[in-house]
Protein backbone atom coordinates (compact mmCIF):
# COMPACT_ATOMS: atom_id res chain seq x y z
CA UNK A 1 0.00 0.00 0.00
CA UNK A 2 1.02 3.60 -0.48
CA UNK A 3 1.65 5.64 2.62
CA UNK A 4 2.19 9.34 3.27
CA UNK A 5 4.00 10.19 6.48
CA UNK A 6 4.32 13.72 7.86
CA UNK A 7 6.49 14.92 10.75
CA UNK A 8 6.85 18.29 12.44
CA UNK A 9 7.97 20.14 15.55
CA UNK A 10 10.90 17.87 16.38
CA UNK A 11 13.44 20.65 16.62
CA UNK A 12 14.08 23.08 19.44
CA UNK A 13 16.10 26.30 19.81
CA UNK A 14 18.71 24.19 21.65
CA UNK A 15 19.52 21.87 18.77
CA UNK A 16 18.07 19.18 16.50
CA UNK A 17 16.14 19.81 13.33
CA UNK A 18 13.15 18.07 11.75
CA UNK A 19 15.19 17.43 8.59
CA UNK A 20 17.88 15.60 10.61
CA UNK A 21 15.22 13.39 12.18
CA UNK A 22 14.02 12.82 8.58
CA UNK A 23 17.51 11.71 7.57
CA UNK A 24 17.58 9.23 10.50
CA UNK A 25 14.27 7.79 9.31
CA UNK A 26 15.61 7.45 5.76
CA UNK A 27 18.64 5.57 7.07
CA UNK A 28 16.44 3.16 9.02
CA UNK A 29 13.82 2.58 6.30
CA UNK A 30 16.29 2.18 3.46
CA UNK A 31 17.66 -0.92 5.22
CA UNK A 32 14.23 -2.57 5.10
CA UNK A 33 13.87 -4.42 1.82
CA UNK A 34 10.07 -4.35 1.73
CA UNK A 35 9.87 -0.57 1.87
CA UNK A 36 10.24 1.54 -1.27
CA UNK A 37 10.66 5.29 -1.41
CA UNK A 38 8.31 6.46 -4.17
CA UNK A 39 9.87 9.90 -4.22
CA UNK A 40 12.55 11.95 -2.50
CA UNK A 41 11.78 12.86 1.09
CA UNK A 42 9.99 16.21 1.13
CA UNK A 43 11.10 19.31 3.02
CA UNK A 44 8.01 21.50 3.10
CA UNK A 45 8.33 25.10 4.20
CA UNK A 46 5.14 26.63 5.60
CA UNK A 47 4.05 30.20 6.33
CA UNK A 48 7.26 31.99 7.34
CA UNK A 49 5.35 34.48 9.56
CA UNK A 50 4.17 31.96 12.14
CA UNK A 51 5.38 33.04 15.60
CA UNK A 52 5.80 29.46 16.92
CA UNK A 53 8.48 28.52 14.43
CA UNK A 54 11.99 27.74 15.67
CA UNK A 55 13.75 28.79 12.49
CA UNK A 56 12.40 28.25 9.02
CA UNK A 57 8.97 26.65 9.65
CA UNK A 58 9.89 23.42 7.90
CA UNK A 59 8.12 20.05 8.09
CA UNK A 60 9.07 16.72 6.51
CA UNK A 61 7.02 14.17 4.53
CA UNK A 62 7.67 10.75 2.97
CA UNK A 63 5.83 8.94 0.19
CA UNK A 64 6.36 5.20 0.55
CA UNK A 65 5.21 1.84 -0.74
CA UNK A 66 4.84 -0.44 2.30
CA UNK A 67 3.40 -3.96 2.59
CA UNK A 68 0.20 -3.97 4.71
CA UNK A 69 1.75 -6.37 7.21
CA UNK A 70 4.62 -3.96 7.88
CA UNK A 71 2.48 -0.94 8.74
CA UNK A 72 2.42 -1.41 12.55
CA UNK A 73 6.18 -2.08 12.61
CA UNK A 74 6.85 1.00 10.57
CA UNK A 75 4.87 3.23 12.93
CA UNK A 76 6.91 1.89 15.82
CA UNK A 77 10.26 2.45 14.04
CA UNK A 78 9.40 6.05 13.18
CA UNK A 79 7.99 7.02 16.59
CA UNK A 80 11.07 5.49 18.27
CA UNK A 81 13.45 7.51 16.09
CA UNK A 82 11.62 10.76 16.77
CA UNK A 83 11.42 10.09 20.52
CA UNK A 84 15.17 9.54 20.67
CA UNK A 85 15.89 12.64 18.58
CA UNK A 86 13.97 15.05 20.83
CA UNK A 87 15.86 17.68 22.79
CA UNK A 88 13.86 19.21 25.60
CA UNK A 89 14.50 22.71 26.83
CA UNK A 90 12.50 25.73 27.86
CA UNK A 91 10.52 25.72 24.62
CA UNK A 92 9.12 22.21 24.54
CA UNK A 93 8.79 20.60 21.13
CA UNK A 94 5.30 19.35 20.28
CA UNK A 95 6.20 16.64 17.76
CA UNK A 96 3.51 14.87 15.79
CA UNK A 97 3.71 12.12 13.16
CA UNK A 98 0.79 11.57 10.77
CA UNK A 99 0.12 8.50 8.63
CA UNK A 100 -2.25 8.77 5.68
CA UNK A 101 -3.06 6.12 3.12
CA UNK A 102 -4.04 8.52 0.37
CA UNK A 103 -3.67 12.00 -1.05
CA UNK A 104 -6.72 14.16 -0.66
CA UNK A 105 -7.95 17.49 -2.03
CA UNK A 106 -8.85 18.70 1.47
CA UNK A 107 -5.32 17.96 2.68
CA UNK A 108 -4.04 19.93 -0.29
CA UNK A 109 -6.21 22.91 0.73
CA UNK A 110 -4.94 22.58 4.29
CA UNK A 111 -1.35 22.81 2.99
CA UNK A 112 -2.22 25.92 0.97
CA UNK A 113 -3.75 27.54 4.07
CA UNK A 114 -0.78 26.61 6.29
CA UNK A 115 1.50 28.09 3.64
CA UNK A 116 -0.22 31.46 3.53
CA UNK A 117 -2.03 32.03 6.83
CA UNK A 118 -2.26 31.09 10.50
CA UNK A 119 -4.34 27.92 10.95
CA UNK A 120 -5.76 26.61 14.19
CA UNK A 121 -5.02 23.28 15.81
CA UNK A 122 -8.76 22.59 16.03
CA UNK A 123 -9.01 22.86 12.23
CA UNK A 124 -6.22 20.27 11.90
CA UNK A 125 -7.93 18.00 14.46
CA UNK A 126 -11.27 18.20 12.67
CA UNK A 127 -9.58 17.29 9.39
CA UNK A 128 -7.76 14.21 10.74
CA UNK A 129 -11.03 13.02 12.30
CA UNK A 130 -12.94 13.54 9.07
CA UNK A 131 -10.33 11.85 6.88
CA UNK A 132 -9.52 9.06 9.35
CA UNK A 133 -5.83 9.96 9.43
CA UNK A 134 -3.79 8.35 12.21
CA UNK A 135 -1.50 10.60 14.19
CA UNK A 136 0.79 10.34 17.17
CA UNK A 137 1.61 13.25 19.44
CA UNK A 138 4.83 12.29 21.25
CA UNK A 139 4.73 14.95 23.96
CA UNK A 140 1.93 16.68 25.83
CA UNK A 141 1.20 19.33 23.17
CA UNK A 142 0.27 18.55 19.59
CA UNK A 143 0.97 21.74 17.69
CA UNK A 144 3.16 19.75 15.31
CA UNK A 145 -0.03 18.26 13.85
CA UNK A 146 -0.47 21.41 11.76
CA UNK A 147 2.92 21.17 10.06
CA UNK A 148 2.85 17.37 9.76
CA UNK A 149 -0.58 17.42 8.11
CA UNK A 150 0.33 20.30 5.80
CA UNK A 151 3.50 18.44 4.77
CA UNK A 152 1.56 15.43 3.47
CA UNK A 153 -0.97 17.78 1.88
CA UNK A 154 1.86 19.24 -0.19
CA UNK A 155 2.76 15.88 -1.78
CA UNK A 156 3.32 15.64 -4.71
CA UNK A 157 4.72 19.13 -5.22
CA UNK A 158 4.00 20.64 -8.64
CA UNK A 159 6.81 23.14 -8.44
CA UNK A 160 9.91 22.15 -6.54
CA UNK A 161 13.64 22.47 -6.10
CA UNK A 162 16.14 20.33 -4.19
CA UNK A 163 18.35 20.83 -1.16
CA UNK A 164 21.42 18.84 -0.26
CA UNK A 165 21.74 18.84 3.52
CA UNK A 166 24.98 17.69 5.13
CA UNK A 167 25.00 17.08 8.88
CA UNK A 168 27.39 16.60 11.75
CA UNK A 169 26.42 14.67 14.87
CA UNK A 170 23.90 16.75 16.91
CA UNK A 171 26.18 16.44 19.97
CA UNK A 172 28.90 18.45 18.16
CA UNK A 173 28.77 22.17 18.86
CA UNK A 174 30.92 25.16 18.01
CA UNK A 175 32.01 26.62 14.69
CA UNK A 176 31.41 24.48 11.64
CA UNK A 177 34.70 23.64 9.93
CA UNK A 178 34.08 24.06 6.22
CA UNK A 179 36.42 25.32 3.53
CA UNK A 180 34.60 28.54 2.66
CA UNK A 181 36.66 29.14 -0.46
CA UNK A 182 35.54 25.77 -1.74
CA UNK A 183 31.90 26.77 -1.16
CA UNK A 184 32.45 29.99 -3.13
CA UNK A 185 34.19 28.06 -5.94
CA UNK A 186 31.26 25.65 -6.08
CA UNK A 187 28.81 28.55 -6.28
CA UNK A 188 30.79 30.03 -9.15
CA UNK A 189 31.18 26.75 -11.04
CA UNK A 190 27.56 25.59 -10.73
CA UNK A 191 25.89 29.00 -10.82
CA UNK A 192 23.33 27.96 -13.45
CA UNK A 193 22.07 25.19 -11.19
CA UNK A 194 22.33 26.47 -7.63
CA UNK A 195 20.67 29.40 -5.87
CA UNK A 196 20.53 31.39 -2.64
CA UNK A 197 23.81 29.97 -1.33
CA UNK A 198 25.79 33.20 -1.36
CA UNK A 199 25.08 36.91 -0.91
CA UNK A 200 27.52 38.88 -3.02
CA UNK A 201 26.72 42.32 -1.61
CA UNK A 202 27.63 41.29 1.96
CA UNK A 203 30.00 38.47 0.90
CA UNK A 204 28.14 36.11 3.23
CA UNK A 205 27.77 32.38 2.69
CA UNK A 206 24.08 31.71 3.24
CA UNK A 207 24.45 27.95 2.90
CA UNK A 208 26.22 27.55 6.26
CA UNK A 209 23.95 28.06 9.29
CA UNK A 210 25.15 29.44 12.61
CA UNK A 211 22.65 27.97 15.08
CA UNK A 212 22.90 24.92 17.33
CA UNK A 213 21.25 22.55 14.81
CA UNK A 214 23.27 19.68 13.26
CA UNK A 215 23.23 21.11 9.70
CA UNK A 216 26.79 21.65 8.45
CA UNK A 217 25.75 23.09 5.11
CA UNK A 218 22.70 23.17 2.85
CA UNK A 219 23.06 23.68 -0.91
CA UNK A 220 19.97 24.59 -2.92
CA UNK A 221 19.68 23.54 -6.51
CA UNK A 222 17.31 22.77 -9.35
CA UNK A 223 19.08 19.50 -10.12
CA UNK A 224 19.74 16.53 -7.79
CA UNK A 225 22.48 15.14 -10.07
CA UNK A 226 24.42 18.37 -9.71
CA UNK A 227 23.92 18.18 -5.94
CA UNK A 228 25.58 14.78 -6.01
CA UNK A 229 28.63 16.24 -7.75
CA UNK A 230 28.71 19.10 -5.26
CA UNK A 231 28.38 16.70 -2.34
CA UNK A 232 31.54 14.84 -3.40
CA UNK A 233 33.46 18.12 -3.64
CA UNK A 234 32.16 19.43 -0.33
CA UNK A 235 32.92 16.22 1.56
CA UNK A 236 36.62 16.96 0.97
CA UNK A 237 36.34 20.40 2.52
CA UNK A 238 34.28 19.87 5.65
CA UNK A 239 35.05 18.25 8.99
CA UNK A 240 32.71 16.07 11.10
CA UNK A 241 30.43 15.03 8.21
CA UNK A 242 28.13 12.33 9.62
CA UNK A 243 25.40 12.02 6.99
CA UNK A 244 23.80 13.73 4.02
CA UNK A 245 20.48 13.67 2.22
CA UNK A 246 18.79 15.30 -0.78
CA UNK A 247 15.30 16.66 -0.10
CA UNK A 248 12.71 17.65 -2.67
CA UNK A 249 11.29 20.95 -1.47
CA UNK A 250 8.99 23.90 -2.15
CA UNK A 251 11.89 26.27 -1.31
CA UNK A 252 12.70 28.91 -3.90
CA UNK A 253 9.29 28.64 -5.57
CA UNK A 254 7.58 31.74 -4.14
CA UNK A 255 4.36 29.74 -3.55
CA UNK A 256 3.69 31.47 -0.23
CA UNK A 257 2.92 34.71 -2.08
CA UNK A 258 0.48 33.26 -4.61
CA UNK A 259 -2.58 34.30 -2.58
CA UNK A 260 -3.76 37.70 -3.83
CA UNK A 261 -5.81 39.63 -1.27
CA UNK A 262 -7.75 42.87 -1.15
CA UNK A 263 -6.31 45.09 1.57
CA UNK A 264 -9.47 44.87 3.74
CA UNK A 265 -9.18 41.04 3.79
CA UNK A 266 -5.61 40.94 5.13
CA UNK A 267 -5.14 39.25 8.52
CA UNK A 268 -2.18 39.17 10.92
CA UNK A 269 0.51 36.62 9.96
CA UNK A 270 -0.79 36.20 6.38
CA UNK A 271 1.66 35.76 3.53
CA UNK A 272 0.02 37.42 0.54
CA UNK A 273 0.22 39.68 -2.48
CA UNK A 274 -1.66 42.96 -2.83
CA UNK A 275 -2.23 45.21 -5.79
CA UNK A 276 -2.71 48.95 -5.33
CA UNK A 277 -1.45 52.50 -5.60
CA UNK A 278 1.19 54.21 -3.48
CA UNK A 279 -0.63 56.75 -1.31
CA UNK A 280 2.21 58.42 0.64
CA UNK A 281 5.75 59.57 0.10
CA UNK A 282 8.30 57.03 1.36
CA UNK A 283 9.23 57.69 4.97
CA UNK A 284 12.72 56.68 6.08
CA UNK A 285 12.54 55.35 9.62
CA UNK A 286 15.20 55.01 12.30
CA UNK A 287 17.49 52.18 11.25
CA UNK A 288 17.04 52.91 7.55
CA UNK A 289 13.79 50.97 7.07
CA UNK A 290 11.39 52.55 4.56
CA UNK A 291 7.63 52.86 5.03
CA UNK A 292 5.04 53.72 2.38
CA UNK A 293 1.28 53.44 2.35
CA UNK A 294 -0.57 51.54 -0.34
CA UNK A 295 -4.29 51.71 -1.07
CA UNK A 296 -6.77 49.77 -3.13
CA UNK A 297 -10.55 50.18 -3.45
CA UNK A 298 -11.08 48.40 -0.08
CA UNK A 299 -8.54 50.07 2.21
CA UNK A 300 -5.04 51.24 2.94
CA UNK A 301 -2.05 49.57 4.62
CA UNK A 302 1.49 50.44 5.73
CA UNK A 303 4.15 48.60 3.77
CA UNK A 304 7.62 48.25 5.26
CA UNK A 305 10.87 47.64 3.42
CA UNK A 306 13.42 46.58 6.01
CA UNK A 307 16.97 47.83 5.65
CA UNK A 308 18.06 44.18 5.48
CA UNK A 309 16.21 43.77 2.16
CA UNK A 310 19.12 45.77 0.67
CA UNK A 311 18.33 46.46 -2.94
CA UNK A 312 14.56 46.41 -2.34
CA UNK A 313 14.90 49.00 0.44
CA UNK A 314 16.83 51.30 -1.91
CA UNK A 315 14.19 50.95 -4.62
CA UNK A 316 11.38 51.73 -2.14
CA UNK A 317 12.91 55.17 -1.56
CA UNK A 318 12.17 56.02 -5.21
CA UNK A 319 8.42 55.30 -5.04
CA UNK A 320 6.02 58.23 -5.48
CA UNK A 321 2.33 58.64 -4.63
CA UNK A 322 0.28 57.45 -7.57
CA UNK A 323 2.68 54.66 -8.64
CA UNK A 324 0.82 51.42 -9.35
CA UNK A 325 2.38 48.46 -7.59
CA UNK A 326 1.95 44.79 -6.79
CA UNK A 327 3.67 43.76 -3.55
CA UNK A 328 4.07 40.47 -1.76
CA UNK A 329 5.13 39.84 1.81
CA UNK A 330 4.28 38.83 5.35
CA UNK A 331 1.77 40.63 7.56
CA UNK A 332 2.95 41.93 10.92
CA UNK A 333 0.10 42.29 13.43
CA UNK A 334 -0.83 45.77 14.67
CA UNK A 335 0.62 46.95 17.99
CA UNK A 336 0.37 50.10 20.11
CA UNK A 337 3.21 51.56 17.98
CA UNK A 338 2.05 50.64 14.47
CA UNK A 339 -0.91 49.40 12.47
CA UNK A 340 -1.20 46.18 10.48
CA UNK A 341 1.89 46.20 8.25
CA UNK A 342 2.99 44.32 5.16
CA UNK A 343 6.70 43.46 5.40
CA UNK A 344 7.52 43.55 1.72
CA UNK A 345 9.47 40.67 0.12
CA UNK A 346 8.82 41.38 -3.55
CA UNK A 347 7.83 44.54 -5.42
CA UNK A 348 6.45 44.81 -8.91
CA UNK A 349 6.24 48.40 -10.13
CA UNK A 350 3.44 48.29 -12.71
CA UNK A 351 3.28 51.95 -13.67
CA UNK A 352 5.09 55.05 -12.48
CA UNK A 353 3.42 58.46 -12.36
CA UNK A 354 4.90 61.54 -13.97
CA UNK A 355 6.40 63.87 -11.43
CA UNK A 356 5.84 67.55 -12.20
CA UNK A 357 7.76 70.35 -10.61
CA UNK A 358 6.59 74.02 -10.75
CA UNK A 359 9.09 76.85 -11.06
CA UNK A 360 8.59 80.63 -11.06
CA UNK A 361 8.80 82.09 -14.57
CA UNK A 362 12.03 83.36 -16.18
CA UNK A 363 12.41 87.16 -16.53
CA UNK A 364 11.96 88.10 -20.24
CA UNK A 365 14.49 90.95 -19.78
CA UNK A 366 17.52 89.35 -18.12
CA UNK A 367 16.70 85.54 -18.15
CA UNK A 368 16.96 85.42 -14.37
CA UNK A 369 14.32 83.42 -12.44
CA UNK A 370 11.69 85.78 -10.98
CA UNK A 371 10.20 85.78 -7.47
CA UNK A 372 6.61 86.11 -6.36
CA UNK A 373 5.68 89.77 -5.88
CA UNK A 374 3.10 88.78 -3.25
CA UNK A 375 -0.38 87.24 -3.28
CA UNK A 376 -2.16 88.04 -6.59
CA UNK A 377 0.60 90.56 -7.45
CA UNK A 378 2.41 88.53 -10.11
CA UNK A 379 6.19 88.19 -10.29
CA UNK A 380 9.19 90.46 -9.81
CA UNK A 381 12.72 89.94 -11.09
CA UNK A 382 15.23 90.22 -8.21
CA UNK A 383 18.02 91.16 -10.68
CA UNK A 384 16.58 93.80 -13.04
CA UNK A 385 13.41 94.75 -11.14
CA UNK A 386 11.05 93.79 -14.03
CA UNK A 387 7.47 93.22 -12.79
CA UNK A 388 4.62 91.34 -14.47
CA UNK A 389 1.18 89.95 -13.64
CA UNK A 390 0.94 87.97 -16.86
CA UNK A 391 3.72 85.42 -16.49
CA UNK A 392 2.74 81.80 -15.65
CA UNK A 393 4.59 79.23 -13.54
CA UNK A 394 6.81 76.90 -15.55
CA UNK A 395 5.89 73.18 -15.25
CA UNK A 396 8.82 70.79 -15.69
CA UNK A 397 8.27 67.02 -15.97
CA UNK A 398 10.98 65.34 -13.94
CA UNK A 399 12.43 62.09 -15.22
CA UNK A 400 11.91 59.11 -12.87
CA UNK A 401 14.87 56.93 -11.95
CA UNK A 402 12.50 54.13 -10.98
CA UNK A 403 11.39 52.03 -13.93
CA UNK A 404 8.43 49.66 -14.05
CA UNK A 405 9.58 46.10 -13.36
CA UNK A 406 10.13 43.42 -10.77
CA UNK A 407 12.35 44.15 -7.77
CA UNK A 408 13.63 41.53 -5.34
CA UNK A 409 15.54 41.81 -2.06
CA UNK A 410 19.23 41.06 -1.71
CA UNK A 411 19.77 37.30 -1.11
CA UNK A 412 20.66 37.97 2.54
CA UNK A 413 16.98 38.80 3.15
CA UNK A 414 15.59 35.81 1.21
CA UNK A 415 13.20 33.56 3.05
CA UNK A 416 13.36 29.83 2.34
CA UNK A 417 10.36 30.12 0.02
CA UNK A 418 11.49 33.29 -1.81
CA UNK A 419 11.88 32.82 -5.53
CA UNK A 420 15.33 34.01 -6.56
CA UNK A 421 15.72 35.96 -9.80
CA UNK A 422 17.38 33.09 -11.60
CA UNK A 423 14.30 30.88 -11.05
CA UNK A 424 11.81 33.39 -12.46
CA UNK A 425 10.45 31.90 -15.66
CA UNK A 426 12.15 28.56 -14.91
CA UNK A 427 9.92 25.72 -16.12
CA UNK A 428 10.97 23.10 -13.55
CA UNK A 429 13.55 20.37 -13.43
CA UNK A 430 14.05 17.65 -16.03
CA UNK A 431 15.03 15.21 -13.27
CA UNK A 432 11.70 13.88 -12.04
CA UNK A 433 13.00 10.52 -10.84
CA UNK A 434 14.94 9.48 -7.75
CA UNK A 435 18.63 9.61 -8.61
CA UNK A 436 20.64 6.58 -7.57
CA UNK A 437 22.41 8.25 -4.68
CA UNK A 438 20.29 10.61 -2.62
CA UNK A 439 21.30 9.85 0.97
CA UNK A 440 24.04 8.49 3.18
CA UNK A 441 23.97 6.30 5.21
P1 LIG B 1 13.12 24.06 11.55
O1 LIG B 1 13.11 25.01 10.41
O2 LIG B 1 14.44 23.98 12.23
O3 LIG B 1 12.56 22.72 11.17
P2 LIG B 1 10.72 25.22 12.48
O4 LIG B 1 10.90 26.67 12.28
O5 LIG B 1 10.05 24.39 11.48
O6 LIG B 1 12.15 24.64 12.71
P3 LIG B 1 8.90 24.00 14.36
O7 LIG B 1 9.48 23.45 15.60
O8 LIG B 1 8.50 23.04 13.30
O9 LIG B 1 9.90 25.10 13.85
O10 LIG B 1 7.65 24.88 14.78
C1 LIG B 1 6.67 25.34 13.90
C2 LIG B 1 5.31 25.06 14.53
O11 LIG B 1 4.34 25.87 13.92
C3 LIG B 1 4.88 23.62 14.35
O12 LIG B 1 4.27 23.18 15.53
C4 LIG B 1 3.84 23.69 13.24
O13 LIG B 1 2.87 22.68 13.35
C5 LIG B 1 3.25 25.07 13.46
N1 LIG B 1 2.79 25.70 12.22
C6 LIG B 1 3.35 25.63 11.00
N2 LIG B 1 2.64 26.34 10.09
C7 LIG B 1 1.60 26.87 10.77
C8 LIG B 1 0.51 27.71 10.38
N3 LIG B 1 0.36 28.13 9.14
N4 LIG B 1 -0.40 28.07 11.34
C9 LIG B 1 -0.23 27.65 12.62
N5 LIG B 1 0.77 26.86 13.04
C10 LIG B 1 1.70 26.47 12.14
Amino acid sequence: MQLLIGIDDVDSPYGMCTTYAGALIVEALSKIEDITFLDYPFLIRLNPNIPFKTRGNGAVAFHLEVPEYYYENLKEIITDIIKKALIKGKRKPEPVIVFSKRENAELRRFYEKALTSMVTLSYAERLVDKLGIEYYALESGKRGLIGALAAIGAVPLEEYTFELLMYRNPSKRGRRIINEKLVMDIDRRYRDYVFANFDFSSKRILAIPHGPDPVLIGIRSVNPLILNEIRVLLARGCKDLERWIIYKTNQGTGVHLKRVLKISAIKPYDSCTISGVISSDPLILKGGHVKVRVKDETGEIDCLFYRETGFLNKVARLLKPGDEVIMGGGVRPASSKHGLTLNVEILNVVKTVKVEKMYNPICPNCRHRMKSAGRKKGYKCPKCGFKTKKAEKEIVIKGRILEPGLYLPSPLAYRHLSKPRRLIGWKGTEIKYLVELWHFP
Side-chain angles (χ1 to χ4, degrees), residues 92-160:
K92 289 197 183 70
E94 299 190 17
V96 172
I97 311 167
V98 299
F99 296 89
S100 172
K101 296 189 181 159
R102 61 201 153 100
E103 290 161 19
N104 178 289
E106 278 186 81
L107 275 179
R108 178 80 200 173
R109 276 197 294 282
F110 184 82
Y111 160 61
E112 280 157 12
K113 285 197 171 130
L115 188 62
T116 56
S117 63
M118 169 85 106
V119 299
T120 60
L121 187 54
S122 59
Y123 173 27
E125 285 176 311
R126 264 182 278 125
L127 196 58
V128 285
D129 283 349
K130 182 173 170 199
L131 300 177
I133 291 174
E134 264 189 273
Y135 73 92
Y136 296 90
L138 306 188
E139 292 288 313
S140 50
K142 47 176 153 171
R143 188 185 289 135
L145 179 62
I146 298 169
L149 205 55
I152 59 169
V155 178
L157 286 170
E158 276 110 49
E159 211 182 332
Y160 51 87

Side-chain angles (χ1 to χ4, degrees), residues 8-9 11 45 50 53-58 114 117 119 143 147:
D8 197 18
D9 216 324
D11 45 331
R45 297 288 177 184
I50 292 306
K53 67 177 184 177
T54 315
R55 281 172 292 263
N57 204 5
S117 63
V119 299
R143 188 185 289 135

Side-chain angles (χ1 to χ4, degrees), residues 16-24 167-170 214 242-243 247:
M16 194 36 67
C17 165
T18 310
T19 66
Y20 181 84
L24 294 178
Y167 303 96
R168 60 181 172 180
N169 191 283
E242 182 204 74
R243 64 184 65 241
Y247 275 102

Side-chain angles (χ1 to χ4, degrees), residues 246-280:
I246 295 176
Y247 275 102
K248 188 185 249 190
T249 167
N250 59 355
Q251 289 173 168
T253 59
V255 275
H256 65 310
L257 300 180
K258 289 223 162 125
R259 194 161 72 125
V260 181
L261 289 181
K262 291 287 175 214
I263 290 174
S264 62
I266 291 176
K267 292 199 198 63
Y269 306 113
D270 277 348
S271 282
C272 61
T273 291
I274 59 168
S275 169
V277 173
I278 301 289
S279 55
S280 75

